[in-house]
Every structure is written in C-alpha cells, then in structure tokens.
Amino acid sequence: ETGVTQTPRHLVMGMTNKKSLKCEQHLGHNAMYWYKQSAKKPLELMFVYSLEERVENNSVPSRFSPECPNSSHLFLHLHTLQPEDSALYLCASSQQLLAKNIQYFGAGTRLSVL
Amino acid sequence: KQEVTQIPAALSVPEGENLVLNCSFTDSAIYNLQWFRQDPGKGLTSLLLIQSSQREQTSGRLNASLDKSSGRSTLYIAASQPGDSATYLCAPEYGNKLVFGAGTILRVKS
C-alpha cells in the first residue's frame, strides 16, 4: 500500500461514453500528477496540480479533463475517447511541487477504449 | 527535446549475478534523478533519488551513480534475486516534471 489509491483498477468504455478516473492520496501531500503509460512507450506526464491549482498541462487533448477539488483527491474525466487512448493511467503525489521530492504512485487504472 | 534512453531494453540473468542498468539523458540541466521499479500490472515504486549535487546513492543491494555533466546514470544491483524481476525505470526531473525512459525489463532466474 503506497498511500495512493486509484479507482477503478480496470475500465472498458465505448468511444461515446463518459467516465471518470479517481485518485486519492492519504499522505498529506500538496502536489498530484496524472501520467499515461501506453504499450511500448515511456510514461508520459499529462497534468500537474499543486495546492489544487493546475500548473502543468502537457499538450493533452481536451477529451481528457482533470479536476482537483482538494489536495487529497484528483479526477480525470474522460469523454469521446479514441482507441489509441487505451493505456494504463497512473496517479502520483509528492510532498511539494518543487524538486527533490519523491513521487508516490498508485497502482493505476487500466483503460480499454472500444 | 528532453529524451531518456535505457540500455539494455531487457535482461535475463541467473540468480546471484551483479547487474548494471544504464540510463542516459539528453538535457543535463536536471534537478535530480529517480530510479523506479514497476511490477506487472502495478504502479511504480521509488527505489533511489539522487540529487543533482550528488554522485551516488545507496539502498541495500542497490547503488545508483550520477554523472550529470555527461548525462548518465547507472543502477547497480548486487547479488540479484528472483524477487528483483521487474521493469526498472529511470527518470530525471526537470522543474515540475519527471521524464521517463522506456525501462529495462529484468528477469532473474532461480
């Protein structure tokens, strides 16, 4: 148990569906992150939040919409996804946003878009 | 563009061997560098964090070195065990983000 919990662990959705991924951290951290891990590609940073404010948006398509209602929760809202969006989506948190802070990762949500 | 390369892509060794995993990065202006382990179907676990001012960091059988000026880091695993089988990821940090390599898939045979 790393202190970062992601739900659901697996999700299958059609291209016209709307779904949300949830991440919750129990570590008292102030920064949270969404990453995408596609098959045979390196992990890619999607979004960064610090104290509930988005500080990084790594050229992610608008069909992915993040939400950070408080420092413990992070959501990724999905709508009209494409099959190439199928991947493992990982959430992470760290004490602070600045350098020298270890990131703690959740187990991920395995997403399949049909 | 910040790119990270890990060599080898995959490694299969008998139990007990000492291992060397290599990581190179194109932009040497890093804040720090982390090594992670990822088990199949699971998230990442941080193994070691080396700050940009450090040359190496040790934890148990793991030792990571950093040569910032040449853009290289090496992870040494001593006396490998079957439980070390996993994917090992290198990630230098630039400002607010980690940039990951594709990883080295390690299999230690008993």
Side-chain angles (χ1 to χ4, degrees):
Chain A
E1 175 60 50
T2 65
V4 180
T5 304
Q6 289 187 244
T7 54
R9 292 296 311 278
H10 302 274
L11 178 62
V12 179
M13 59 187 289
M15 292 167 56
T16 59
N17 292 157
K18 290 185 179 181
K19 296 287 184 182
S20 295
L21 308 185
K22 179 182 176 182
C23 176
E24 182 175 2
Q25 57 96 359
H26 316 279
L27 302 169
H29 289 170
N30 292 319
M32 297 187 77
Y33 313 77
W34 277 118
Y35 288 88
K36 175 183 179 182
Q37 188 174 35
S38 304
K40 300 182 180 180
K41 290 181 66 177
L43 219 64
E44 301 171 80
L45 179 67
M46 299 176 73
F47 301 104
V48 181
Y49 275 83
S50 175
L51 297 172
E52 300 131 54
E53 287 193 18
R54 191 190 310 179
V55 296
E56 187 97 23
N57 179 349
N58 219 30
S59 302
V60 179
S62 60
R63 56 186 184 270
F64 295 91
S65 176
E67 179 190 2
C68 188
N70 56 62
S71 59
S72 298
H73 294 85
L74 185 65
F75 295 90
L76 187 62
H77 304 299
L78 316 171
H79 64 97
T80 59
L81 294 191
Q82 305 298 313
E84 60 264 30
D85 296 322
S86 298
L88 179 67
Y89 290 84
L90 292 165
C91 172
S93 71
S94 60
Q95 183 63 50
Q96 301 293 342
L97 185 59
L98 299 177
K100 304 180 184 180
N101 283 278
I102 293 174
Q103 290 190 11
Y104 294 84
F105 283 77
T109 294
R110 175 71 62 186
L111 173 67
S112 297
V113 181
L114 305 178
Chain B
K1 182 180 179 182
Q2 296 156 342
E3 295 182 344
V4 180
T5 302
Q6 290 189 244
I7 295 173
L11 186 61
S12 182
V13 299
E15 182 176 5
E17 279 204 6
N18 299 326
L19 308 173
V20 176
L21 307 183
N22 296 294
C23 171
S24 61
F25 41 96
T26 55
D27 183 350
S28 61
I30 65 172
Y31 283 89
N32 61 45
L33 184 141
Q34 292 189 49
W35 281 93
F36 292 87
R37 167 185 174 141
Q38 185 174 26
D39 293 284
K42 297 187 178 181
L44 278 63
T45 301
S46 181
L47 298 173
L48 291 164
L49 183 153
I50 312 177
Q51 297 179 14
S52 60
S53 58
Q54 295 179 311
R55 297 286 292 182
E56 66 178 83
Q57 191 69 255
T58 298
S59 176
R61 294 182 294 108
L62 305 179
N63 174 276
S65 66
L66 175 64
D67 185 342
K68 181 182 173 183
S69 60
S70 67
R72 294 181 183 180
S73 178
T74 302
L75 180 67
Y76 299 89
I77 303 177
S80 59
Q81 303 172 357
D84 295 330
S85 299
T87 298
Y88 290 80
L89 300 166
C90 163
E93 178 170 347
Y94 300 95
N96 298 331
K97 65 178 184 179
L98 295 174
V99 177
F100 284 83
T104 294
I105 301 171
L106 173 64
R107 180 184 171 213
V108 181
K109 298 172 288 186
S110 57

